[in-house]
Amino acid sequence: MHKIIVISVFFGFTVPFIFLTPYFDFYLVLLLILVSGCICYSILLGTFIYPNIKTREYTYISPPSILLVSIFIIYVVMRVDLVVGFYSALINGSVLSFVMEQTQDRYGRTSGPGLVFQLGTISFFIFCGLFGRFSAVNKVKKIYMLLILFFIAGIEMSQSGRAGFIMGGAFFCSQYIISNKFNFNKLSYSKVITVVSLLLLFLLMLLAVVQFSRISHRSDAIYIVLSKLPGYTIRPHASLAQWLLDNKSFDYLLGFNTFGAIGKHLGLLPNIDGFYLQVTSPIGTTNIFTVLRSTLNDFGFLGFSILSFYLGLLMYKWSYVRINYFQYVASSVILLLFLFPFISVFSYTTFLISFAVVMSILYRYRKINYSSP
């Protein structure tokens, strides 16, 4: 688990901030690099604090395949119109037209999605989370569930649901990594870098394809897609730096911004420029789509540094020892905050509900099987 966090922070925060050096004050960029990397420094320190830490390897019990199939059926029922429309378009060869129609409908709505649509989103997230545990434990039936996941992914991407699709992927990865942590511990950092690099490349290609499908009718579609790629890489970090220069202070909400779904319903979140409002920086205008926006506003530079340093030591230790159910839940939260670096996944009520449901189900399957000595 700890190696994934180190590489994710390096690619997700350190590298983008380095590219900002010519555009912002050097000391501000250096501060952002140092603060965002605190969890990495403590993980690397853990190798000296716990030099001989080890435990007998174990695996978790998997939820049954019938449970995942049942959730898939619920998803299809909640998305039946979209399922029929997408695969009809696929057969007729009119997928791009279908995607453009869905995009226009998505961004042309004057109100939020209805209850049925939200239930479909929740079932998608639940399936992804449980499939992460299922695929880490099962070696035989995994291919059938993988086909179901591809089916669902096609539906979600057809409506340009980029954020939801990536959140589902992050949820899957978090559960797969925790349930398969001993094998990840055996990987060298170079192999982890290769895996993460390939995943990032796949993600950028996926975002480019989705963006192209939305504007494929335009003659300059490829140029527009290429010009938007920086918006997924360094522009959100530049917007964060600009926001810090403009605001000069934090709200210190002690986690209610990071867990925005809770803070929003409690009325604790102020209306501050950031997530969905545009911020203009020296390299362009975009949203502050980075999870640091939430964590820094909750704890400030010093508070976040201390907290992330402590969490890094915990994640290093938990990567090698048996963890209880509550530590499993905490590990899932920490991983999700770094595997989806654009915005805190817990800012979305649908995801928070899905996370609570998955963790409740996995409580039933919290027992472990020790590997043969």
Side-chain angles (χ1 to χ4, degrees), residues 70-90:
S70 300
I71 295 170
F72 168 66
I73 293 173
I74 294 173
Y75 172 83
V76 172
V77 172
M78 297 297 108
R79 291 277 202 273
V80 62
D81 292 340
L82 197 59
V83 170
V84 173
F86 175 73
Y87 285 99
S88 296
L90 189 64

Side-chain angles (χ1 to χ4, degrees), residues 21-33:
T21 305
Y23 304 99
F24 291 92
D25 180 76
F26 172 77
Y27 294 103
L28 173 62
V29 176
L30 180 62
L31 177 63
L32 287 170
I33 291 174

Side-chain angles (χ1 to χ4, degrees), residues 70-301:
S70 300
I71 295 170
F72 168 66
I73 293 173
I74 294 173
Y75 172 83
V76 172
V77 172
M78 297 297 108
R79 291 277 202 273
V80 62
D81 292 340
L82 197 59
V83 170
V84 173
F86 175 73
Y87 285 99
S88 296
L90 189 64
I91 294 172
N92 297 329
S94 56
V95 174
L96 290 179
S97 298
F98 179 80
V99 171
M100 281 190 290
E101 291 175 3
Q102 294 301 313
T103 301
Q104 293 171 356
D105 177 68
R106 178 185 179 90
Y107 290 97
R109 287 195 297 250
T110 57
S111 59
L115 177 61
V116 172
F117 188 89
Q118 299 281 29
L119 290 175
T121 301
I122 291 172
S123 58
F124 166 65
F125 289 149
I126 292 174
F127 183 90
C128 290
L130 292 179
F131 182 58
R133 164 70 71 84
F134 183 90
S135 60
V137 176
N138 287 277
K139 307 301 180 184
V140 179
K141 299 179 180 180
K142 182 164 51 177
I143 184 64
Y144 304 110
M145 295 302 155
L146 192 60
L147 292 174
I148 291 178
L149 182 62
F150 284 151
F151 177 93
I152 296 176
I155 300 301
E156 290 300 302
M157 293 303 292
S158 71
Q159 51 164 335
S160 298
R162 295 163 295 175
F165 177 82
I166 300 172
M167 280 193 286
F171 202 7
F172 163 82
C173 290
S174 69
Q175 300 312 298
Y176 183 84
I177 291 168
I178 297 174
S179 302
N180 207 22
K181 66 178 184 178
F182 292 107
N183 287 328
F184 277 97
N185 290 341
K186 298 172 185 176
L187 294 178
S188 64
Y189 271 105
S190 61
K191 290 184 178 179
V192 176
I193 290 175
T194 301
V195 172
V196 173
S197 299
L198 291 174
L199 285 175
L200 287 174
L201 180 61
F202 171 74
L203 175 60
L204 285 175
M205 291 176 61
L206 188 65
L207 292 172
V209 169
V210 174
Q211 185 69 31
F212 177 80
S213 67
R214 294 166 57 185
I215 57 174
S216 58
H217 60 288
R218 299 182 53 164
S219 58
D220 58 345
I222 295 179
Y223 171 78
I224 293 176
V225 170
L226 293 176
S227 65
K228 283 184 174 293
L229 285 181
Y232 299 120
T233 51
I234 64 172
R235 276 188 194 151
H237 300 75
S239 294
L240 173 67
Q242 188 64 51
W243 176 78
L244 290 171
L245 288 174
D246 294 340
N247 284 273
K248 309 291 186 184
S249 63
F250 301 111
D251 292 302
Y252 297 102
L253 296 176
L254 302 179
F256 285 109
N257 208 323
T258 303
F259 291 85
I262 299 175
K264 179 171 57 180
H265 292 296
L266 293 178
L268 297 175
L269 290 186
N271 185 21
I272 299 176
D273 290 359
F275 297 132
Y276 293 107
L277 298 179
Q278 301 286 305
V279 175
T280 300
S281 71
I283 63 172
T285 300
T286 189
N287 317 91
I288 309 180
F289 280 140
T290 166
V291 71
L292 286 177
R293 162 66 172 76
S294 301
T295 52
L296 287 176
N297 198 46
D298 275 336
F299 303 103
F301 285 115

